[in-house]
Amino acid sequence: MSSDLYPVSRLAAVQEATAKAGIDALLLTPGPDLRYVTGYDAKPLERLTCLVVPAAGEPYMMVPRLELPAAQASPASRLGLEFVAWDETDDPYRIAAARLGRPGTVGLADRMWAMSSLRFRDVLPGAEQVLAGGVLRELRMRKSPAEVAALREAGEAIDAVHRQVPGLLRAGRTEREVARDIAEAILAAGHDTVDFVIVASGPNGASPHHEVSDRVIQAGEPVVVDIGGQLHNGYCSDSTRTYSVGEPPADFAAYYEVLRRAQDAACAAVRPGVPCESIDAAARDLIAEAGFGDHFIHRTGHGIGIETHEEPYIVTGNAEPMEPGFAFSVEPGIYLAGRHGARIEDIVVCGESGGERLNNTSRELVIV
Ligand code: ZN
Ligand code: ZN
Ligand code: ZN
């Protein structure tokens, strides 16, 4: 695990941001927030593991005694943290509360389970609970060069899978059969886990989050393939290409070309200082001008890092100015209910003067 990716200095930066936000302590249970701060990919379990980052004073981690060896073997051990091991008959929430005193506000990991957040409410009745994400988003959104390199590696891995897709798609196979082969290829390409495999043929392509079904792919059908996984280092890939099994319907080919130009325009609009929503508008305006505005039914993109969907969101209403290090998807789509659909998705990182695409397979309609 690269120590550049999860630098030891991050904990101090988080503590400083916590104090600045007027939060007395962050409580980070297993999930992306904990991993981001410590590098520790702790299992989410009913037994409490929780990094406590007080605005002032020493951070520590509550750990079930049986998880202690795993915590000590994890990258969190580099941080010089105290591990507060608790035994099976202890109440770790009470132990944490006793150490915390009487905080006014605590920031809970965005993905904390309700069973933990409610227990923290019980033992800290005077504390207002807010999302730790309010603090962590500012850090997580701005990818370091090491994080950009990890996302680039993830992009290359998923591109290698897309290059194999034309060999897997053919009339007569079911979506599920194709998806199974793609899932294998995602792991073989260097991912640790398969996060999702969408193989949406014909009319299923009009449902953006269709996953797979037993539908048999027919000749002459467009197929939307949206795939992603997580590398061992925690960073995620996500890329969509739309293929056609044989010659597609003429109207499909026409709107696919509109989509391709819209996706290009949005990628070209990326540069520091422009509002995130302007990237959405760059794609949406072109699609609307061509008469397909009502068929582009989702935002243009989402941030990506150690989660597939994180900030910043590329959506109308997000006026946040782009900064170097923002990494996000650009994935406009056109969906004709009952008929077919298309989406083209690349991960793009904002650089000093423009965007860099981290996915680089052909965006022309690939006819297989
Ligand atoms: Zn999606
Ligand atoms: Zn996707
Ligand atoms: Zn996506």
Side-chain angles (χ1 to χ4, degrees):
M1 184 88 37
S2 157
S3 56
D4 293 349
L5 214 41
Y6 297 95
V8 170
S9 60
R10 189 171 281 161
L11 182 57
V14 168
Q15 189 166 30
E16 195 181 313
T18 302
K20 228 181 185 170
I23 296 173
D24 296 299
L26 294 190
L27 305 175
L28 304 183
T29 46
D33 289 332
L34 176 66
R35 187 170 195 179
Y36 179 77
V37 178
T38 65
Y40 182 24
D41 185 21
K43 282 191 286 292
L45 299 166
E46 78 290 2
R47 293 186 179 97
L48 181 72
T49 291
C50 184
L51 174 70
V52 179
V53 186
E58 291 298 314
Y60 52 93
M61 183 137 66
M62 305 291 308
V63 184
R65 180 149 335 260
L66 76 168
E67 297 292 330
L68 189 58
Q72 285 167 335
S74 83
S77 65
R78 304 162 306 149
L79 305 177
L81 280 173
E82 181 188 358
F83 290 118
V84 181
W86 58 273
D87 293 298
E88 289 287 67
T89 56
D90 290 340
D91 181 342
Y93 296 91
R94 293 209 175 282
I95 296 172
R99 294 179 66 121
L100 279 162
R102 302 179 70 85
T105 307
V106 291
L108 309 184
D110 284 23
R111 304 273 179 271
M112 181 183 283
W113 288 355
M115 60 176 275
S116 293
S117 60
L118 294 179
R119 286 288 286 124
F120 275 121
R121 173 153 292 165
D122 284 345
V123 298
L124 298 167
E128 187 192 346
Q129 296 185 339
V130 299
L131 291 176
V135 171
L136 294 174
R137 72 184 291 279
E138 301 300 323
L139 298 161
R140 284 182 54 180
M141 235 167 26
R142 300 177 170 89
K143 267 71 182 179
S144 68
E147 290 182 278
V148 171
L151 286 168
R152 196 176 284 123
E153 186 188 338
E156 283 163 8
I158 209 69
D159 282 1
V161 179
H162 266 300
R163 286 193 190 96
Q164 297 169 55
V165 169
L168 302 173
L169 272 179
R170 49 181 183 275
R173 298 197 80 193
T174 67
E175 293 174 352
R176 197 180 307 280
E177 285 165 349
V178 173
R180 213 169 277 150
D181 291 343
I182 290 175
E184 252 175 55
I186 289 174
L187 296 177
H191 296 84
D192 219 29
T193 59
V194 178
D195 286 346
F196 54 92
V197 178
I198 295 174
V199 178
S201 64
N204 290 340
S207 165
H209 275 175
H210 171 81
E211 292 217 332
V212 296
S213 75
D214 292 314
R215 187 175 187 282
V216 177
I217 299 166
Q218 311 289 318
E221 282 185 346
V223 184
V224 178
V225 177
D226 185 353
I227 53 179
Q230 192 172 32
L231 301 184
H232 176 66
N233 61 25
Y235 283 77
C236 297
S237 65
D238 183 6
S239 177
T240 309
R241 291 294 183 262
T242 300
Y243 302 86
S244 183
V245 177
E247 276 306 318
D251 63 336
F252 174 86
Y255 76 74
Y256 183 87
E257 188 52 24
V258 171
L259 181 66
R260 199 189 57 73
R261 285 191 292 112
Q263 203 266 357
D264 255 348
C267 291
V270 174
R271 61 183 175 280
V274 303
C276 288
E277 63 185 353
S278 70
I279 311 304
D280 180 87
R284 199 167 301 279
D285 290 353
L286 263 169
I287 290 172
E289 272 164 35
F292 293 98
D294 291 343
H295 301 282
F296 177 17
I297 55 178
H298 55 71
R299 65 191 175 211
T300 291
H302 52 83
I304 188 168
I306 55 173
E307 284 184 281
T308 308
H309 286 197
E310 58 180 51
E311 301 220 42
Y313 292 99
I314 308 304
V315 63
T316 305
N318 184 4
E320 179 122 23
M322 277 279 156
E323 288 180 35
F326 280 19
F328 49 88
S329 69
V330 174
E331 51 176 311
I334 295 177
Y335 308 98
L336 269 49
R339 300 196 55 214
H340 35 61
R343 182 164 64 258
I344 303 171
E345 174 180 24
D346 293 320
I347 302 305
V348 176
V349 58
C350 183
E352 293 298 332
S353 57
E356 177 199 354
R357 279 171 151 131
L358 304 186
N359 298 107
N360 292 291
T361 61
S362 172
R363 280 167 289 270
E364 302 293 326
L365 182 63
V366 175
I367 298 177
V368 302

